[in-house]
Amino acid sequence: MMKLFIDETRCKGCNICTMVCPYSIFTPGDTPNRRGIYVPVLDRPERCTNCRLTYLYGRQLCGVCSMICPDQAISWIADEPYSARCVVIEY
Amino acid sequence: MMKLFIDETRCKGCNICTMVCPYSIFTPGDTPNRRGIYVPVLDRPERCTNCRLTYLYGRQLCGVCSMICPDQAISWIADEPYSARCVVIEY
Amino acid sequence: MSRTEFFQGNIACAEGALAAGCRFFGGYPITPSTEVAEHLALKLPKVKGGCFIQMEDEIAGIAAVIGASWTGVRAMTATSGPGFSLMMENIGYAIMTETPCVIVNIQRGGPSTGQPTMAAQGDMMQCRFGSHGDSSIIALCPASVQECFELTVKAFNLADQFRTPVFLMADEAIGHMRERISIPDSVPYTGRKPAEKDTLPFKPDEDLIPGFAPFGSGHHVPVTGLTHDWRGYPATTNPDLHAELVSRLYHKIEDKRNGIADYEIENREASVVFICYGAPARTVAQVLHDQKHDGKDDLGCLRLRIVWPFPEALLEQFPHASVFIVPELNLGMISREIQRHTAVPVRSVSKIGGELHTPRELLQVAEEYR
Amino acid sequence: MSRTEFFQGNIACAEGALAAGCRFFGGYPITPSTEVAEHLALKLPKVKGGCFIQMEDEIAGIAAVIGASWTGVRAMTATSGPGFSLMMENIGYAIMTETPCVIVNIQRGGPSTGQPTMAAQGDMMQCRFGSHGDSSIIALCPASVQECFELTVKAFNLADQFRTPVFLMADEAIGHMRERISIPDSVPYTGRKPAEKDTLPFKPDEDLIPGFAPFGSGHHVPVTGLTHDWRGYPATTNPDLHAELVSRLYHKIEDKRNGIADYEIENREASVVFICYGAPARTVAQVLHDQKHDGKDDLGCLRLRIVWPFPEALLEQFPHASVFIVPELNLGMISREIQRHTAVPVRSVSKIGGELHTPRELLQVAEEYR
Amino acid sequence: MTRDDWYRHDRLPHIYCSGCGNGSIINCVLEAVSDIGWNIDETVFISGIGCSSRAPGYIQTDSLHTTHGRAIAFATGVKLANPDLHIVIFTGDGDLGAIGGNHFIHACRRNIDLTVICINNYIYGMTGGQGSPLTPYGKKSTTTPYGACEMPFDLCNLAVAAGANYVSRWTSYHVTELTKAVTAGLLTEGFSFIEVISQCPTSYGRRNSLREVSDQILYLKNNAVLHQRWKRMQEKGEDLSSDQFVVGEFIRQSRPSMGVSR
Amino acid sequence: MTRDDWYRHDRLPHIYCSGCGNGSIINCVLEAVSDIGWNIDETVFISGIGCSSRAPGYIQTDSLHTTHGRAIAFATGVKLANPDLHIVIFTGDGDLGAIGGNHFIHACRRNIDLTVICINNYIYGMTGGQGSPLTPYGKKSTTTPYGACEMPFDLCNLAVAAGANYVSRWTSYHVTELTKAVTAGLLTEGFSFIEVISQCPTSYGRRNSLREVSDQILYLKNNAVLHQRWKRMQEKGEDLSSDQFVVGEFIRQSRPSMGVSR
Amino acid sequence: MRHEVRFSGFGGQGIILSAVILGRAAVLYDNKNAVQTQVYGPEARGGASMSAVIIDDEDILFPKVINPNIFVIMSQEGFLKYGAGAPGNAVMLLDSGLVHDRPSCRYYEIPASREAKDRLGKIIVANIVMLGSLVAATGIITKEALEAGILSSVPKGTEDLNIRAMKLGFDLIMEGKGEP
Amino acid sequence: MRHEVRFSGFGGQGIILSAVILGRAAVLYDNKNAVQTQVYGPEARGGASMSAVIIDDEDILFPKVINPNIFVIMSQEGFLKYGAGAPGNAVMLLDSGLVHDRPSCRYYEIPASREAKDRLGKIIVANIVMLGSLVAATGIITKEALEAGILSSVPKGTEDLNIRAMKLGFDLIMEGKGEP
Ligand SMILES: Cc1ncc(C[n+]2csc(CCOP(=O)(O)OP(=O)(O)O)c2C)c(N)n1
Ligand SMILES: Cc1ncc(C[n+]2csc(CCOP(=O)(O)OP(=O)(O)O)c2C)c(N)n1
Ligand code: SF4
Ligand code: SF4
Ligand code: SF4
Ligand code: SF4
Ligand code: SF4
Ligand code: SF4
Ligand SMILES: [Mg+2]
Ligand SMILES: [Mg+2]
């Protein structure tokens, strides 16, 4: 499993990620960090196709947020598998 | 009437005029002038449409030789009308 | 009457151009000169006959300016180091064709792209020697926002009078700082000497300068950057004509160098004399001001507002000078020129990197000679 | 072994480049330098790895040369005044990025298009000060066809050694005349000091020069014309870094000026001393040769083959000099530099228009001081 | 190697403003080169001057950040002197379309084996928002305060007319399509040109009623008309609205090229 | 006034070589301006550097013989500062197609009201015969001793792609058609471009087996393919031979233009 | 008496405008002399922007700030880069919501951004709030001059908002909110 | 002994080539020194072209012609521009069919163009005829050197023609044809 990760030292709070994710996983942040940046927050990131299925298919499956993030702030890091739970997928 | 005229101080002997006149009025010269230039010679210039008819029509009728002469050497000067004589026009 | 404003040097320069009657700006944006263009982009279209155009590069910018000038209007461009380098060929053309025009260079740190936003005076030799061949030009250096305005006006007058490109060699510090400026309702005006009817277009008068015949006025002037005779016809293999023409272009300016000199002298009796121009003059002024507080008066100053042609006669205004201290924001350019003309030791105080000399730094150097 | 030829200076220059291992020529034709390009267009394609390209203009020509140089090959361009002016911005880039390259300028009469086919030395200040910002470069001046060859070779060696653009400042007279030349089988070679593994690409060694890491060698060098740190990263608002970098670029050359000086001295005891470079040196040689016939020996000569950086220590080689006579095909450019360094009167003997000083003309000037 | 391995991490975060499209485009280009599997030691990024031209500085390869407008001319020298190097150029609408136009058309003509990514943000970003030759008619900039009164270039048309072997246009929003186009360009022998329309919130957007980054992103998304659709529109005699632009691949051919490694 | 009145007779004969096409083309242009009846005081000829660019020096008007490649940029300043002046530019394939390419495409884009006569003799004549960006593939010059290995520009295509309002091509042989085309160009508002293929016996012909002036004239006469015919050929899938070129009018339109006198 | 004021914050906060307004107000409406300078450069874009104003009754000769004695700081990065070294005898006004550290000189904590947002609904005028507080706290120029300076500098239609922001700044000082 | 030779004619006659051949022959095959120069410039195109060669046993220092003492003139314009002022002690070879005037120094009338056309069928080698005559008349270099110089300078395939032209030049002098 992988885990979505926003690098706060890089994110400049442009919110482009919030516009492109098909699952609306990113939502605009509402508190500035120490650098005065409103970093987006993740809403149930386990819904992300990439997180769920990259290992399964052995290749990147979506990655649009990471590709479009102009500040190289979005990536995935390895994570222990989520424990089974009901995930509601909103199309 | 007008008379075809090659200005020897300008002509550089390129012989382009000899290629373009529909009546082949210009023919390559065969003796160099003082500047070493072989100025074309005129063969029965009275055949030239322009010479004959410009006054009649009140406008330039051919003038291709003069237009194409790269050295501004060909022009027409006024001339007394040719005396009547038989002109063979070769198409 | 005049109005007071709180302007940037660059804006003051643009306002000076407008006041001088400049009606054409052709240029290309470059930091730190861009505000000159931007202000004229706003203002020129509102002035009768005014035209602003952003060209495809600086080469085209100065070309358009020269073209515009031949229609008889006052025309200018503004740039900084990299763009200035690109203009060198056409600047030579303006010199050779005796085309009045004003070129503003808001100097930044070089060489190359270097320090786009930092102050420097590194193009002072380039404005004099940057185009190929022998020539002379006029270069003015403002030390305040007010002078950005005034010297721009003066640049247009000198350009017209001498039929030559004139350079306003400001720097980022002066161009970008805002301070008080008083803008007069009208400014001095010396236009081009018109060509008499039926004179040869490049035949000089006694002042070595030919009258100017703008395009469209029926003079049929053939303008060329080739070596030409008085009619303007190319004569590229005639050594005498070339020598006559190029020497004249040189002497029409150089011979007047001590006459058109524009400067301020403080304390002719001084033994330690600063020679300065542009931004460092502000530091020198501070040092001289402060010496009075310290009860001293052995420091003096020659401040040049026109740096080229270099008015070497002024060096003799300081009979007691034991040293000329020359603070510059370069590795000692005008110091080189001063060295040529004097037996007084010349101490170049270079500072590069974008900051001004502090008063303390200059005082320390002065102390060495006290 | 060597072979004798009867070559034009321009061809000798091209042959010198080939002998020095030049493998890239990028340029744009211009009289009177074109034969350099034409000869290389013929020869380079036949040499392994050789590439000749005619670019769209001189700006692109020098750009391509700089690009090529970063792949590690020796690269050159050739031009004359107008093209040289266009190169000024990118020459500054080569200086700032420490890119070795050779720029040949076959000088013709300026300013502007001026006299395309006549000899001049009017770009001697421009090669030194023509790009914006502070810098230093190396300039060589051949006085014979043989020297066109030899100094071109030397130019490549100096360029590589100092990581700087080097100028071969010839003139139309030398470039276009044909005379005897002897072409050796091999020539001296000093290549670029290679970068050590894992060193910072712009960190200088003690000689102030960093090792060179060609593109493709895995060093991952970020090259920029902006002010940069030792890693090559831009640092455009750091005054200290800028001062360090630009001073180093200046001193790496200027500090060695008396060491790399290349010159000929004749008659150290002379009272009347000619200082010359390039074509006028031929006239001076004639005058000095003729004085022996006249049973005189009070004339001396310092002939510079490297003019920039100016080796001022050489001026002291003439303890009895009462005058330095400086014949130049310009309005006195190197004379200016000499004036800075000496108390001996400097007599500039300018000649512009395209012809060389005649021996008689120079003799007449010398007579004034005899 | 993944895209991430191509970055010079010690230089991140980059200097670009928040919401600037440049960073997205660099991602796509690096994705393409890493996909193709080019050797990092043999790949060179070259640029002129401008925000867009700062891109190579963030990439862990040999790179040449040159003078304004001249990237292609420098690259021509690099490529011809060592055809084994892969060369990608980053440039901007000002750098390439204004001062660098001549090098551009000549490189197309020569079909020299380079790939050019031109980030067209309709403006001179680096110098604070002056108009460029790509600023749309009527749009505002600091030097067109009354609206641009010159017609803009269509760089893709120009590239085709000048002879380039590969030409396409996408936007910084279309990251997937862009990555594919860049890949195609990199793999085409000869000159490849990819124009990428991008957002510059700082210098363009806020002057042209696209205040927020999101406005600019939506603009790119909504006004892109696919090449194929444009053809159909033309057949029906329809025209583009003043905001619309065509995206897609305009040409892929194999005229003789220069500097191709053998 | 007739054509002849526009000449500076005190400068004739000109410096052109015997058989050079430049003189014929000047004739045609002066014929066109005198036909239209432009005031000699309000007409300005502007040029760069090259044999072709020497033309204005032989014309009895105000003229600007500028620096190599820059004629259009200078002319832009003249025209914008005084839109009442009529401006005609003489340039060459090197002057316009090599060093001056950028000013050319920008003037097309701006559609500034100028008429450009580009004398394309396939070579740098003035400097003694180096290849130009118009030298046909495989042809010889002093800098392409083994035959040109770069593809040449089609300047007319480029002008159309860059936005010019009037574009046509003729040759120095087609003096009548050329004169008409120049007249049309002069009368079109905005940027007009007329390419004239011309003979340079000295620097081109003798290196490319067209030893005599007459060979070059015949070459021009025989290889010119009329625009309309070329269209029909294309429809039939036919191609031009390597020596053939298309002549005629390529575009006449009225996109917004600059510098038009009102 | 020469006053050297240094403003810092991040891009978009209107740091430069604040300085210009202060300088213009001093020159045009208080008949003092002023020189305004600023840091340009791409680094200023993402990072901390800085602008300085020197105000003096006499002519200002040396135009650059040497010893700033008044600081207006509106971001943490700005504080670190331009405020942290403030000398003991300086005065600093800081946007308390945005600056986390505190200087060793006398300082005022002005919750400018928060108050601008909460009370005026526009965080964008936080810089004008700070200006108001600056003038109220130091009296470096008159309040009337500041008002005139603001009115002649801000875009049409925003005059009212800006004046309210200025007054909010005055009030925050008067209410003693900022007191160290 | 320094000899200064001046060639003039019109473009296309091979004036420059003549001078180069003479210089090359002197240097490579006669072990003398030589400097060849010429007039460039567009004016040379239509008008008279000129080239000069200095030949000397010693080093040639000053490389330009000062007092030419040998003239080879192949056109009337060339004569007027470059030959008319020849000093009394000079020698001139002129193409008698092309030059109408005569100088005041000693001269040889060489009907080079006519003879080249009539006897060799190629007017283009008239310059080589003149060269042959020059060497035969003045001995400025050896005939062998000239021959080698020509062979190493002319295009492949034309060697024979050129050598015949050279010999024709020799003969014209030997036959006394050119005598003044
Ligand atoms: C010769 C020269 N002229 C001008 C400049 C100033 N300059 C730097 S970047 C730039 C414009 C860049 O525009 P663009 O290429 O569109 O890049 P962007 O910043 O928009 O990405 C200009 C004019 C320069 N550096 N050099
Ligand atoms: C900056 C600069 N570069 C090069 C030259 C040399 N030059 C003069 S004319 C010319 C080529 C002209 O070619 P073209 O425009 O085709 O004119 P043509 O002589 O063929 O009519 C060149 C390269 C120059 N004068 N200036
Ligand atoms: S796209 Fe990247 S920089 Fe922008 S808000 Fe999202 S994570 Fe931050
Ligand atoms: S990879 Fe795709 S699905 Fe996952 S967070 Fe990013 S945009 Fe959403
Ligand atoms: S075209 Fe003109 S120059 Fe040529 S031969 Fe005829 S008259 Fe003479
Ligand atoms: S005008 Fe026509 S017909 Fe008359 S001579 Fe000339 S080409 Fe022949
Ligand atoms: S100015 Fe525009 S292009 Fe430049 S970094 Fe900012 S948003 Fe990007
Ligand atoms: S070189 Fe060519 S273009 Fe130039 S004048 Fe001679 S023939 Fe004409
Ligand atoms: Mg842009
Ligand atoms: Mg040509």
Side-chain angles (χ1 to χ4, degrees), chain C residues 4-6 8 35 117 172-173 176-180 282-283 285-286 289 356-359, chain G residues 2 20 23-24 27-28 31-38 40-41 58 60-64:
Chain C
T4 304
E5 296 282 1
F6 185 67
Q8 253 192 356
E35 295 84 359
T117 59
E172 190 274 344
H176 270 167
M177 80 189 190
R178 288 182 179 80
E179 64 183 351
R180 177 195 295 277
R282 300 291 286 254
T283 314
Q286 188 75 53
H289 173 266
L356 303 189
H357 303 80
T358 62
Chain G
R2 180 177 175 121
V20 174
R24 178 179 292 136
V27 165
L28 300 188
N31 206 22
K32 299 191 183 225
N33 288 304
V35 174
Q36 180 267 345
T37 54
Q38 69 206 53
Y40 285 80
E58 284 185 64
I60 296 171
L61 301 173
F62 185 68
K64 295 273 172 163

Side-chain angles (χ1 to χ4, degrees), chain E residues 198-219:
Chain E
S198 177
Q199 74 275 21
C200 169
T202 304
S203 298
Y204 183 77
R206 65 191 174 96
R207 281 197 188 82
N208 289 287
S209 31
L210 299 165
R211 284 221 142 258
E212 304 295 323
V213 173
S214 53
D215 298 335
Q216 287 208 289
I217 296 285
L218 289 175
Y219 181 95

Side-chain angles (χ1 to χ4, degrees), chain A residues 4 17 20-26 45 47-51 61-66 74 76:
Chain A
L4 250 183
C17 49
V20 298
C21 174
Y23 301 103
S24 301
I25 284 175
F26 301 85
R47 295 177 301 153
C48 161
T49 342
N50 237 28
C51 300
L61 280 159
C62 169
V64 165
C65 55
S66 161
I74 301 177
W76 290 271

Side-chain angles (χ1 to χ4, degrees), chain A residues 6-18 26-42 69 71 73-74, chain E residues 18-19 212, chain G residues 10-11 13 74 95 97-98 100 112-118 122-124 126:
Chain A
I6 300 184
D7 183 342
E8 285 222 12
T9 66
R10 290 193 184 166
C11 172
K12 293 182 187 144
C14 67
N15 281 330
I16 295 180
C17 49
T18 69
F26 301 85
T27 44
D30 54 7
T31 39
N33 67 8
R34 280 204 70 163
R35 290 167 53 237
I37 305 287
Y38 293 77
V39 178
V41 290
L42 302 180
C69 167
D71 291 287
I74 301 177
Chain E
S18 172
E212 304 295 323
Chain G
F10 50 78
Q13 279 181 319
M74 293 184 67
D95 188 321
L98 301 178
H100 306 283
S113 296
R114 188 165 37 90
E115 295 279 312
K117 199 173 173 190
D118 293 354
K122 293 267 182 192
I123 198 167
I124 193 86

Side-chain angles (χ1 to χ4, degrees), chain E residues 179-226:
Chain E
T179 306
K180 283 194 195 128
V182 173
T183 308
L186 297 174
L187 293 175
T188 304
E189 279 197 357
F191 193 79
S192 305
F193 178 68
I194 297 117
E195 177 183 341
V196 193
I197 302 183
S198 177
Q199 74 275 21
C200 169
T202 304
S203 298
Y204 183 77
R206 65 191 174 96
R207 281 197 188 82
N208 289 287
S209 31
L210 299 165
R211 284 221 142 258
E212 304 295 323
V213 173
S214 53
D215 298 335
Q216 287 208 289
I217 296 285
L218 289 175
Y219 181 95
L220 296 178
K221 181 177 172 183
N222 298 336
N223 287 303
V225 175
L226 205 71

Side-chain angles (χ1 to χ4, degrees), chain E residues 139-154:
Chain E
K139 297 293 176 184
K140 297 219 167 123
S141 73
T142 62
T143 49
T144 58
Y146 309 110
C149 62
E150 298 178 10
M151 296 292 283
F153 275 135
D154 181 324

